[in-house]
Amino acid sequence: MKIVYFTHSLQSCWNHGNAHFLRGVLSDLIARGHDVRVYEPINPWSLTNLLADAGEAGLEPYRRHYPELSSQSIAPEIALEPLVDGADLVIVHEWNEPALVAAIGDVRRRGGSFRLLFHDTHHRAVSAPDEMTAFDLSGYDGVLAFGETLSQVYRGWGWEGRVWTWHEAADTRRFHPPAEEGARSGLVWIGNWGDGERTRELESFLFRPAAEAGLPLDIYGVRYPDEARAMLAAHGARYHGWAPNAGAPDIFARALATVHVPRRYYATILPGIPTIRVFEALACGIPLVSAPWEDAENLFRPGTDYLVAADGAAMTRHLRALAEDADLRAALVAAGLETIHARHTCAHRVDELLAIARQLHAPAPQRTAA
């Protein structure tokens, strides 16, 4: 198959979590012999911020770990027909500009032979629905939504029968336990500060419990304002700034455990959607403790693959137990790896995507008169 993907950025993972998953999926497609083309806008927001933060050196980990991947930058006024010529499947990510989303749909509507999918990996459908309903998807064949509760939103918007739940997953080619175990100590958390939608939760389920458990805490991520850094310092946490996603396995390999603190929308009105970090952490073989989060789709085995803390006091108890009990850590690692390898690798998601593509290209069923 020839598959074309329009992304916000393939090169940059700076505050762009979808790049993690996209890289793994595209790598697997290429390994299977598919023809993959990727387009991104000139100077996308994520790449601009990465270069300002880390310079050209910030791109080196992506280039080194994903030599098979490449993307072409396109100007807003570029003709789209040549970019999708001969494609079997075209996917457009929701971080693209509405004008581009509509223009690609228009190419499809005017006779494009490819099948066209819109890929939604964010909570804006519930947090900013006006932004999402402003997209002209009238030329699209369907929607890929990264959680069932998000799929339900699209069904309510008239996409019944044309929306597929397509969760993120771990790229196990790169995200796996270290070949040789070394010394581990303390906690690590890799995540961005965002727009304040989980500030209270981070303090209650991460910063304070780590300090109370007597465990050093290392923080990696971007968009931490001065008040956030002051909060980290007050709790004794060490802030390291941006880290390339390709470097996350090495960071995880140095820590005893990590913590999942879902953004508020994923803990409330979009339950069942874990962040990519849950998949990646379990794939790397690091014990994980989660703040309250409803696994509405039974993706994992709460209490077996990871521990769940109902409140800050429970989080502190779990962290102390992990620090003191090597057998508990080993059991969580084994269970988490088992679930990832059985259900949640990028190879699994490619299988799902190819099945969706076959469904889209299948001839319509013959209808008989009543």
Side-chain angles (χ1 to χ4, degrees):
M1 285 179 62
K2 180 177 179 179
I3 300 171
V4 177
Y5 196 105
F6 289 85
T7 181
H8 171 76
S9 180
L10 185 63
Q11 304 174 75
S12 175
C13 61
W14 197 100
N15 200 59
H16 180 29
N18 182 248
H20 309 186
F21 176 58
L22 179 58
R23 292 168 179 175
V25 164
L26 297 183
S27 291
D28 193 87
L29 285 166
I30 291 170
R32 301 189 193 197
H34 296 282
D35 180 2
V36 174
R37 310 291 173 90
V38 182
Y39 300 104
E40 59 182 73
I42 296 173
N43 298 323
W45 176 85
S46 176
L47 179 60
T48 299
N49 279 279
L50 171 60
L51 294 175
D53 196 343
E56 280 290 327
L59 293 172
E60 190 276 334
Y62 159 69
R63 292 167 176 164
R64 174 161 46 89
H65 287 273
Y66 299 90
E68 73 278 19
L69 297 184
S70 63
S71 57
Q72 179 182 335
S73 298
I74 58 173
E77 64 276 7
I78 193 170
L80 295 172
E81 286 85 351
L83 304 186
V84 298
D85 183 47
D88 299 289
L89 178 66
V90 177
I91 306 174
V92 183
H93 189 253
E94 48 87 15
W95 264 28
N96 281 288
E97 291 298 322
L100 177 67
V101 173
I104 297 171
D106 188 55
V107 174
R108 169 75 175 111
R109 189 169 44 243
R110 289 187 287 106
S113 59
F114 56 88
R115 298 299 181 266
L116 180 59
L117 295 172
F118 184 70
H119 189 193
D120 193 345
T121 62
H122 201 263
H123 55 63
R124 285 193 297 165
V126 294
S127 62
D130 291 346
E131 293 182 18
M132 300 307 294
T133 54
F135 283 114
D136 179 5
L137 302 182
S138 58
Y140 284 66
D141 296 290
V143 173
L144 298 172
F146 80 142
E148 178 58 25
T149 51
L150 186 59
S151 291
Q152 291 171 8
V153 173
Y154 276 93
R155 292 185 190 108
W157 289 346
W159 289 88
E160 183 68 45
R162 295 186 297 147
V163 58
W164 290 267
T165 298
W166 197 46
H167 281 286
E168 295 179 319
D171 176 8
T172 50
R173 285 188 172 90
R174 284 94 177 173
F175 287 79
H176 51 72
E180 294 184 10
E181 276 289 339
R184 290 177 179 259
S185 63
L187 298 177
V188 65
W189 193 73
I190 308 176
N192 303 323
W193 189 259
D195 301 309
E197 70 269 37
R198 57 178 169 183
T199 302
R200 184 175 65 252
E201 292 87 345
L202 285 171
E203 185 168 27
S204 300
F205 288 95
L206 180 60
F207 307 149
R208 188 179 299 120
E212 291 175 348
L215 291 172
L217 173 60
D218 291 283
I219 303 286
Y220 296 82
V222 300
R223 299 180 68 196
Y224 283 70
D226 291 342
E227 57 269 26
R229 298 190 190 194
M231 183 184 295
L232 296 183
H235 289 287
R238 297 175 296 217
Y239 177 60
H240 300 276
W242 176 78
N245 189 52
D250 289 337
I251 294 173
F252 283 140
R254 299 193 292 268
L256 280 176
T258 189
V259 172
H260 171 47
V261 183
R263 296 182 185 274
R264 200 164 297 157
Y265 290 108
Y266 301 134
T268 55
I269 54 180
L270 284 178
I273 301 179
T275 68
I276 187 71
R277 290 297 182 197
V278 174
F279 297 110
E280 292 178 343
L282 295 182
C284 286
I286 183 171
L288 182 145
V289 189
S290 178
W293 170 70
E294 181 186 358
D295 184 7
E297 296 180 57
N298 299 312
L299 299 175
F300 304 103
R301 298 170 293 180
T304 299
D305 297 333
Y306 57 84
L307 302 178
V308 181
D311 52 35
M315 179 65 76
T316 300
R317 290 194 298 271
H318 284 322
L319 295 180
R320 285 175 177 156
L322 286 172
E324 297 167 359
D325 191 338
D327 290 339
L328 174 60
R329 297 196 301 270
L332 290 170
V333 167
L337 285 169
E338 180 182 50
T339 296
I340 291 295
H341 292 153
R343 304 176 60 190
H344 301 308
T345 70
C346 285
H348 287 107
R349 300 301 182 259
V350 167
D351 289 341
E352 294 167 7
L353 179 64
L354 296 178
I356 292 168
R358 288 191 295 270
Q359 184 177 344
L360 287 169
H361 281 86
Q366 295 293 320
R367 296 184 182 274
T368 57

